[in-house]
Amino acid sequence: MPPTAENRPVWFTDPQPPPATEPLSRERVVAAAIALADADARGEITMRAVAARLGSSTPMSLYRYVGSKDGLADLMVDEVYGEIAVPPGAWRDALRGLGLSAWEAVQRHPWFARLAFSRPPLGPHAIALYDAALAPLDGLDLDAATRMGCVNAVLGPVMGAGLAMLEERAMRAKSGLATEEDLAEAARPYIERIVADGKHPHFIRWVSDPGRLLPGPPTFEQTLEWVLDGLAGLVTPAAGTPGEGAAR
Amino acid sequence: MPPTAENRPVWFTDPQPPPATEPLSRERVVAAAIALADADARGEITMRAVAARLGSSTPMSLYRYVGSKDGLADLMVDEVYGEIAVPPGAWRDALRGLGLSAWEAVQRHPWFARLAFSRPPLGPHAIALYDAALAPLDGLDLDAATRMGCVNAVLGPVMGAGLAMLEERAMRAKSGLATEEDLAEAARPYIERIVADGKHPHFIRWVSDPGRLLPGPPTFEQTLEWVLDGLAGLVTPAAGTPGEGAAR
DNA sequence: CATCCATGGTGTACGTTGTACACGACGATA
DNA sequence: TATCGTCGTGTACAACGTACACCATGGATG
């Protein structure tokens, strides 16, 4: 006689929380969301997936700690801002270190490039980072807009390179193609039609070159150096006229 | 006696298509989607909204012309690629023109910066544009990866600036804040807490400056010029040693 | 000791999204 | 006149974010 709802003893009806999971917390929710976003090729998460990873049966558990999915994204972004550091030193070394540190963080968390560009950097770690990045510019006789412009000129290429990385990862995952050869094979029908078409000879010359997929130059580090060169012209406007701005 | 389903004459039961809309087409679908994305602060669209704009009562009408929402995005992106032009001339003038033309297109269609970074540029307009951008680099003794790197080095800042523009538009729309003063007012609670905290003096010095919201420098045009300066070092490696790569 | 209430996790449910599928209207063709 | 390809519609479903009511528990309070 199998146990029914009536005769079943409490050991069956009261199965007590299976693995006695440790309690939820804002930190655990954010950490789980970051881990999932890191693992996902497109860097996207789902409240249900985050809840499942934490052993919760319903996404509603999370809302006691984060308010909304957007709020969770704010917290994730600020967490990564906390992984970025500005080394001490003169402005050029400091900003180069900022760029390289941010680039490393973006390589660990490609989704950061997408999310950080979609919200104001007002979290505690973000503000601390901007404070550290503005510090070496403070004695240079630059107005406020220019100081912040210097920082953003360094972070801009970082985010751009991160978005490109995210795109490549997503495309690779969607098509299930691991090697460069597989990827080139998948794009072949498109390419061949263009080659057969005969127009666009310069594009054809590019796709026909087997070395076209090599990383660079210009690498990210080189672009960053160019930006720093340009900023040097702002910081010490010796060559041009002092008040010279951009065209527009 | 009001007309019922049985006795009602055909003038009631057969109300014929109200305004006799012109037939759908792939061009009309793409144009409607672009118009909606231009109007939306976040640059996002909905298949239902596109269908409604075309006078259709169901989103399924569109799927006879576009395959999927992602496919529609591909078409939208390629349409904007068609608005970008490369002027004739030497490589530096050509690439500067490319950057400025792309920047104008991104200002018209901020969503382009987000979508173009999320897919390979394989549409006909995109390929024609890349062909035109590669053309002035073809006689310069650069390998294929470097030639494409030059083009992307120009387009990168364009997309970065576009994403920043998109973010500002979205934030402004979400908070319903029109003027700079309103915006500053909304951010005040955050800011004041930080100021009261006392840490982050350089950040405080920045937020306390009324001129911090002025556009620049560095403006987009100035950043573009820096990139072109950097590219000039690649194209004619007279100053440094020829084989010099990036730091890393 | 009985009661209350704050805290934290659950279950159900709703509106919105993309889109699969079957159907109906209609002009061209056989 | 019968058939068929083209075009648009209506219904339906799964997945998403999240509002709301509910229950379990454990310490504070009478």
Side-chain angles (χ1 to χ4, degrees):
Chain A
M1 177 181 190
T4 66
E6 286 74 16
N7 71 358
R8 189 182 302 158
V10 288
W11 301 286
F12 290 88
T13 63
D14 189 19
Q16 73 191 13
T21 64
E22 61 184 314
L24 292 179
S25 69
R26 171 175 282 202
E27 289 76 24
R28 294 223 317 139
V29 171
V30 173
I34 288 179
L36 283 178
D38 287 347
D40 183 67
R42 300 170 55 210
E44 285 174 1
I45 61 171
T46 287
M47 297 303 272
R48 285 173 163 84
V50 177
R53 187 187 176 91
L54 291 170
S56 176
S57 65
T58 165
M60 293 317 290
S61 343
L62 313 177
Y63 284 86
R64 197 148 312 248
Y65 302 94
V66 297
S68 72
K69 191 186 183 184
D70 243 36
L72 174 56
D74 286 340
L75 295 171
M76 294 166 68
V77 164
D78 198 61
E79 199 67 23
V80 177
Y81 270 122
E83 299 182 8
I84 306 174
V86 181
W91 72 266
R92 181 158 184 148
D93 291 331
L95 289 189
R96 182 189 299 109
L98 165 68
L100 295 177
S101 173
W103 177 228
E104 284 170 23
V106 164
Q107 286 177 299
R108 281 192 297 273
H109 313 289
W111 47 267
F112 176 75
R114 181 166 42 83
L115 291 189
F117 255 52
S118 313
R119 64 199 72 241
L122 284 180
H125 287 136
I127 286 175
L129 178 69
Y130 271 86
D131 185 65
L134 289 169
L137 300 168
D138 237 4
L140 292 178
D141 191 34
L142 302 171
D143 60 277
T146 303
R147 290 201 303 277
M148 185 56 81
C150 291
V151 177
N152 285 329
V154 168
L155 291 181
V158 177
M159 302 304 177
L163 287 171
M165 214 175 76
L166 200 60
E167 177 220 341
E168 194 198 318
R169 256 180 44 162
M171 188 176 61
R172 211 175 278 270
K174 184 168 64 179
S175 50
L177 305 170
T179 72
E180 299 290 346
E181 287 74 21
D182 286 346
L183 202 66
E185 193 67 28
R188 191 175 305 274
Y190 290 92
I191 305 295
E192 279 187 349
R193 186 134 34 117
I194 295 158
V195 173
D197 218 28
K199 302 161 192 167
H200 316 311
H202 309 96
F203 184 84
I204 291 173
R205 186 169 162 230
W206 176 73
V207 296
S208 310
D209 193 316
R212 81 188 128 97
L213 297 174
L214 299 179
T219 58
F220 166 76
E221 289 83 359
Q222 194 158 14
T223 308
L224 175 60
E225 219 60 43
W226 295 347
V227 169
L228 294 172
D229 285 343
L231 291 177
L234 274 185
V235 169
T236 58
T241 63
E244 184 195 17
R248 186 164 191 115
Chain B
M1 176 183 187
T4 67
E6 285 74 17
N7 71 357
R8 189 183 303 157
V10 289
W11 300 286
F12 290 89
T13 65
D14 188 19
Q16 74 191 10
T21 65
E22 60 182 315
L24 291 179
S25 68
R26 170 174 283 201
E27 289 75 25
R28 294 224 315 140
V29 170
V30 174
I34 288 179
L36 283 178
D38 287 346
D40 183 66
R42 301 172 54 211
E44 285 174 0
I45 60 171
T46 286
M47 297 304 272
R48 284 173 163 81
V50 176
R53 188 186 174 93
L54 292 169
S56 176
S57 66
T58 166
M60 293 316 291
S61 344
L62 313 176
Y63 283 86
R64 199 154 306 253
Y65 302 95
V66 296
S68 73
K69 192 187 184 185
D70 242 37
L72 174 56
D74 286 340
L75 295 171
M76 295 165 69
V77 164
D78 199 61
E79 199 67 23
V80 177
Y81 269 123
E83 298 182 9
I84 306 174
V86 180
W91 72 266
R92 180 157 185 149
D93 291 331
L95 288 190
R96 182 190 298 109
L98 165 67
L100 295 177
S101 173
W103 177 229
E104 286 171 22
V106 164
Q107 286 177 300
R108 283 192 296 272
H109 312 291
W111 47 267
F112 176 75
R114 180 167 42 84
L115 291 188
F117 255 52
S118 313
R119 66 200 70 240
L122 285 180
H125 287 136
I127 286 177
L129 179 68
Y130 271 86
D131 184 66
L134 289 169
L137 300 168
D138 236 5
L140 292 178
D141 189 36
L142 302 172
D143 60 278
T146 303
R147 292 200 304 275
M148 185 57 79
C150 291
V151 177
N152 285 330
V154 168
L155 291 181
V158 177
M159 301 305 177
L163 286 171
M165 213 175 78
L166 200 59
E167 177 220 343
E168 195 198 318
R169 258 182 40 164
M171 188 176 62
R172 212 175 276 270
K174 184 168 64 180
S175 50
L177 305 171
T179 71
E180 299 290 346
E181 286 75 21
D182 286 345
L183 202 66
E185 193 67 30
R188 190 175 307 272
Y190 290 93
I191 304 295
E192 278 187 349
R193 184 134 34 116
I194 295 159
V195 173
D197 217 28
K199 302 162 193 168
H200 315 310
H202 310 98
F203 183 84
I204 291 172
R205 186 169 163 231
W206 175 73
V207 296
S208 310
D209 193 317
R212 81 189 127 98
L213 296 174
L214 298 179
T219 59
F220 165 76
E221 289 83 357
Q222 194 158 13
T223 308
L224 175 60
E225 218 62 43
W226 295 347
V227 170
L228 294 173
D229 285 342
L231 292 176
L234 274 186
V235 171
T236 59
T241 62
E244 185 194 16
R248 186 172 193 118

